[in-house]
Amino acid sequence: MSSSVPTPLHQIHQALGASFTDFAGWDMPVRYGSETAEHHAVRTAAGLFDLSHMGEIEVTGPEAGRALDHALVGRPSAIGIGRARYSMICAEDGGIIDDLVVYRLEQERYLVVANASNVHVVAPALAERSQGFDAAVHDASAEWALIAVQGPASAAIVAALTDLDVHSLRYYAIDAGTVAGADVLLARTGYTGEDGFEIYCAPSSAVAIWEALTEAGTPHGLQPAGLACRDTLRLEAGMPLYGHELNRDTTPFEAGLGRVVSFDKPDGFVGEAALATRRDEGPRSMLVGLVATGRRSPRAGYAVVDPATGDEIGVVTSGSPSPTLGHPIAMAYVRPDLAAAGTKVQVDVRGSREDAEIVDLPFYSKK
């Protein structure tokens, strides 16, 4: 018997014939049939995801914004009410502890969404870093389920079930209302490269909302979608994944995300000195896209090689055949002097050198 934690939607996934995998201690649906068909459904119609494994941490109080400014590399105090911003929490040495989405729900109330594998590290770190500020940190992960509708038909599907003005909701914005009669927070965000919505609800409401979305979405081509296609979707969109492109040995500058770091905060922030040094010295490696010219896909951990010298110049962090583009793609960290788009490299695929070319990210952008 699995020791992984089931989400509130577990029985629905079983009834749909899902295959499951343990992900950060959660028993998550990885696919319901064909992950390629699920991928194409998200690109052309809509996909329905259970993301209830994600972590939700509430930070409240008169100095909640200042506390988060000190704890994170960004500046949450500058986020408008009802808006969201991508950010990171870094260690003193600048290494990335996690990447996050920070929502400002009210003047003194924020919702920090962490990766499932890191919430048990992020929540205590936020509590520790909030000491000295008039702010309270509460790990509310058990109080929220999360359902995502992603794809070009997502707005039409969600609009049929809510009292909120879905079509006017801006990208990276959030509002409170109802979906299928249940109280929710509705955010226009996602991790697929498509238009989409994430619905935060009480665990007790998750089944009714999933079923209503299924009924409303089926005429639009909506399909349930698992973690396998979520990974190929985010890879095509050039979105980093913690544990692959992001980790404690990487700073935002190596990941090409130095723009999320704010150095002009009055209270400073944890990791500021190390990150300022890395900014000034330049990254030690750079995250790039790779397009393989053969049929075999580069995979995480494979070495990237300079064909002129035979030297290893980097490592693949994620790779897969691209269902949308029809050829293998990958992300990799390589030496900065060989990171320019158009550079010819090779990838060591199980002892065989496969030709590849460095390209700009993302591989895919919605039209």
Side-chain angles (χ1 to χ4, degrees), residues 286-300:
M286 295 182 66
L287 185 64
V288 299
L290 292 179
V291 171
T293 57
R295 297 179 60 86
R296 297 199 297 174
S297 294
R299 298 290 187 180

PDB file of all heavy atoms in Angstrom, residues 286-300:
ATOM      1  N   MET A 286      25.303  29.389 -17.421  1.00  0.00           N
ATOM      2  CA  MET A 286      24.081  30.026 -17.911  1.00  0.00           C
ATOM      3  C   MET A 286      23.093  28.968 -18.383  1.00  0.00           C
ATOM      4  O   MET A 286      23.476  27.987 -19.029  1.00  0.00           O
ATOM      5  CB  MET A 286      24.413  31.001 -19.041  1.00  0.00           C
ATOM      6  CG  MET A 286      25.257  32.194 -18.596  1.00  0.00           C
ATOM      7  SD  MET A 286      25.607  33.363 -19.923  1.00  0.00           S
ATOM      8  CE  MET A 286      23.961  33.986 -20.263  1.00  0.00           C
ATOM      9  N   LEU A 287      21.838  29.212 -18.071  1.00  0.00           N
ATOM     10  CA  LEU A 287      20.782  28.294 -18.501  1.00  0.00           C
ATOM     11  C   LEU A 287      20.421  28.595 -19.953  1.00  0.00           C
ATOM     12  O   LEU A 287      20.120  29.741 -20.301  1.00  0.00           O
ATOM     13  CB  LEU A 287      19.548  28.460 -17.608  1.00  0.00           C
ATOM     14  CG  LEU A 287      18.401  27.475 -17.866  1.00  0.00           C
ATOM     15  CD1 LEU A 287      18.824  26.051 -17.558  1.00  0.00           C
ATOM     16  CD2 LEU A 287      17.176  27.857 -17.030  1.00  0.00           C
ATOM     17  N   VAL A 288      20.442  27.563 -20.781  1.00  0.00           N
ATOM     18  CA  VAL A 288      20.165  27.726 -22.209  1.00  0.00           C
ATOM     19  C   VAL A 288      19.195  26.652 -22.673  1.00  0.00           C
ATOM     20  O   VAL A 288      18.958  25.654 -21.988  1.00  0.00           O
ATOM     21  CB  VAL A 288      21.465  27.634 -23.042  1.00  0.00           C
ATOM     22  CG1 VAL A 288      22.448  28.723 -22.641  1.00  0.00           C
ATOM     23  CG2 VAL A 288      22.099  26.246 -22.914  1.00  0.00           C
ATOM     24  N   GLY A 289      18.658  26.866 -23.851  1.00  0.00           N
ATOM     25  CA  GLY A 289      17.862  25.847 -24.518  1.00  0.00           C
ATOM     26  C   GLY A 289      18.736  25.054 -25.476  1.00  0.00           C
ATOM     27  O   GLY A 289      19.696  25.586 -26.038  1.00  0.00           O
ATOM     28  N   LEU A 290      18.413  23.785 -25.648  1.00  0.00           N
ATOM     29  CA  LEU A 290      19.106  22.934 -26.613  1.00  0.00           C
ATOM     30  C   LEU A 290      18.073  22.294 -27.542  1.00  0.00           C
ATOM     31  O   LEU A 290      17.028  21.820 -27.076  1.00  0.00           O
ATOM     32  CB  LEU A 290      19.872  21.801 -25.917  1.00  0.00           C
ATOM     33  CG  LEU A 290      21.078  22.149 -25.052  1.00  0.00           C
ATOM     34  CD1 LEU A 290      21.658  20.864 -24.463  1.00  0.00           C
ATOM     35  CD2 LEU A 290      22.124  22.882 -25.860  1.00  0.00           C
ATOM     36  N   VAL A 291      18.373  22.289 -28.813  1.00  0.00           N
ATOM     37  CA  VAL A 291      17.582  21.525 -29.776  1.00  0.00           C
ATOM     38  C   VAL A 291      18.478  20.449 -30.347  1.00  0.00           C
ATOM     39  O   VAL A 291      19.527  20.750 -30.935  1.00  0.00           O
ATOM     40  CB  VAL A 291      17.036  22.432 -30.897  1.00  0.00           C
ATOM     41  CG1 VAL A 291      16.413  21.581 -31.999  1.00  0.00           C
ATOM     42  CG2 VAL A 291      16.013  23.411 -30.344  1.00  0.00           C
ATOM     43  N   ALA A 292      18.102  19.211 -30.137  1.00  0.00           N
ATOM     44  CA  ALA A 292      18.891  18.092 -30.655  1.00  0.00           C
ATOM     45  C   ALA A 292      18.526  17.842 -32.108  1.00  0.00           C
ATOM     46  O   ALA A 292      17.355  17.944 -32.491  1.00  0.00           O
ATOM     47  CB  ALA A 292      18.642  16.848 -29.817  1.00  0.00           C
ATOM     48  N   THR A 293      19.523  17.494 -32.900  1.00  0.00           N
ATOM     49  CA  THR A 293      19.277  17.275 -34.316  1.00  0.00           C
ATOM     50  C   THR A 293      18.918  15.827 -34.621  1.00  0.00           C
ATOM     51  O   THR A 293      18.415  15.521 -35.696  1.00  0.00           O
ATOM     52  CB  THR A 293      20.505  17.674 -35.142  1.00  0.00           C
ATOM     53  OG1 THR A 293      21.627  16.917 -34.677  1.00  0.00           O
ATOM     54  CG2 THR A 293      20.803  19.160 -34.975  1.00  0.00           C
ATOM     55  N   GLY A 294      19.201  14.919 -33.673  1.00  0.00           N
ATOM     56  CA  GLY A 294      18.850  13.519 -33.868  1.00  0.00           C
ATOM     57  C   GLY A 294      17.495  13.195 -33.267  1.00  0.00           C
ATOM     58  O   GLY A 294      16.710  14.081 -32.921  1.00  0.00           O
ATOM     59  N   ARG A 295      17.226  11.908 -33.101  1.00  0.00           N
ATOM     60  CA  ARG A 295      15.934  11.482 -32.580  1.00  0.00           C
ATOM     61  C   ARG A 295      15.965  11.247 -31.075  1.00  0.00           C
ATOM     62  O   ARG A 295      14.934  11.237 -30.422  1.00  0.00           O
ATOM     63  CB  ARG A 295      15.489  10.194 -33.288  1.00  0.00           C
ATOM     64  CG  ARG A 295      15.264  10.366 -34.783  1.00  0.00           C
ATOM     65  CD  ARG A 295      14.850   9.055 -35.424  1.00  0.00           C
ATOM     66  NE  ARG A 295      13.609   8.535 -34.854  1.00  0.00           N
ATOM     67  CZ  ARG A 295      12.399   8.876 -35.258  1.00  0.00           C
ATOM     68  NH1 ARG A 295      12.262   9.762 -36.233  1.00  0.00           N
ATOM     69  NH2 ARG A 295      11.318   8.345 -34.718  1.00  0.00           N
ATOM     70  N   ARG A 296      17.175  11.046 -30.536  1.00  0.00           N
ATOM     71  CA  ARG A 296      17.262  10.724 -29.111  1.00  0.00           C
ATOM     72  C   ARG A 296      17.309  12.007 -28.279  1.00  0.00           C
ATOM     73  O   ARG A 296      18.029  12.960 -28.614  1.00  0.00           O
ATOM     74  CB  ARG A 296      18.486   9.860 -28.836  1.00  0.00           C
ATOM     75  CG  ARG A 296      18.422   8.507 -29.547  1.00  0.00           C
ATOM     76  CD  ARG A 296      19.360   7.502 -28.926  1.00  0.00           C
ATOM     77  NE  ARG A 296      20.763   7.892 -29.038  1.00  0.00           N
ATOM     78  CZ  ARG A 296      21.752   7.218 -28.471  1.00  0.00           C
ATOM     79  NH1 ARG A 296      21.494   6.120 -27.754  1.00  0.00           N
ATOM     80  NH2 ARG A 296      22.992   7.607 -28.623  1.00  0.00           N
ATOM     81  N   SER A 297      16.557  12.015 -27.191  1.00  0.00           N
ATOM     82  CA  SER A 297      16.440  13.227 -26.384  1.00  0.00           C
ATOM     83  C   SER A 297      17.529  13.305 -25.329  1.00  0.00           C
ATOM     84  O   SER A 297      17.792  12.315 -24.634  1.00  0.00           O
ATOM     85  CB  SER A 297      15.080  13.256 -25.673  1.00  0.00           C
ATOM     86  OG  SER A 297      14.033  13.364 -26.593  1.00  0.00           O
ATOM     87  N   PRO A 298      18.142  14.470 -25.175  1.00  0.00           N
ATOM     88  CA  PRO A 298      18.987  14.689 -23.998  1.00  0.00           C
ATOM     89  C   PRO A 298      18.119  14.584 -22.742  1.00  0.00           C
ATOM     90  O   PRO A 298      16.971  15.024 -22.740  1.00  0.00           O
ATOM     91  CB  PRO A 298      19.492  16.115 -24.190  1.00  0.00           C
ATOM     92  CG  PRO A 298      19.314  16.408 -25.653  1.00  0.00           C
ATOM     93  CD  PRO A 298      18.104  15.644 -26.066  1.00  0.00           C
ATOM     94  N   ARG A 299      18.672  14.010 -21.710  1.00  0.00           N
ATOM     95  CA  ARG A 299      17.946  13.863 -20.448  1.00  0.00           C
ATOM     96  C   ARG A 299      18.743  14.510 -19.321  1.00  0.00           C
ATOM     97  O   ARG A 299      19.953  14.742 -19.446  1.00  0.00           O
ATOM     98  CB  ARG A 299      17.713  12.383 -20.142  1.00  0.00           C
ATOM     99  CG  ARG A 299      16.872  11.652 -21.182  1.00  0.00           C
ATOM    100  CD  ARG A 299      15.423  12.101 -21.153  1.00  0.00           C
ATOM    101  NE  ARG A 299      14.595  11.280 -22.048  1.00  0.00           N
ATOM    102  CZ  ARG A 299      13.279  11.462 -22.209  1.00  0.00           C
ATOM    103  NH1 ARG A 299      12.663  12.422 -21.544  1.00  0.00           N
ATOM    104  NH2 ARG A 299      12.599  10.697 -23.051  1.00  0.00           N
ATOM    105  N   ALA A 300      18.050  14.754 -18.211  1.00  0.00           N
ATOM    106  CA  ALA A 300      18.692  15.389 -17.061  1.00  0.00           C
ATOM    107  C   ALA A 300      19.917  14.601 -16.632  1.00  0.00           C
ATOM    108  O   ALA A 300      19.871  13.374 -16.496  1.00  0.00           O
ATOM    109  CB  ALA A 300      17.699  15.488 -15.914  1.00  0.00           C
TER     110      ALA A 300
END
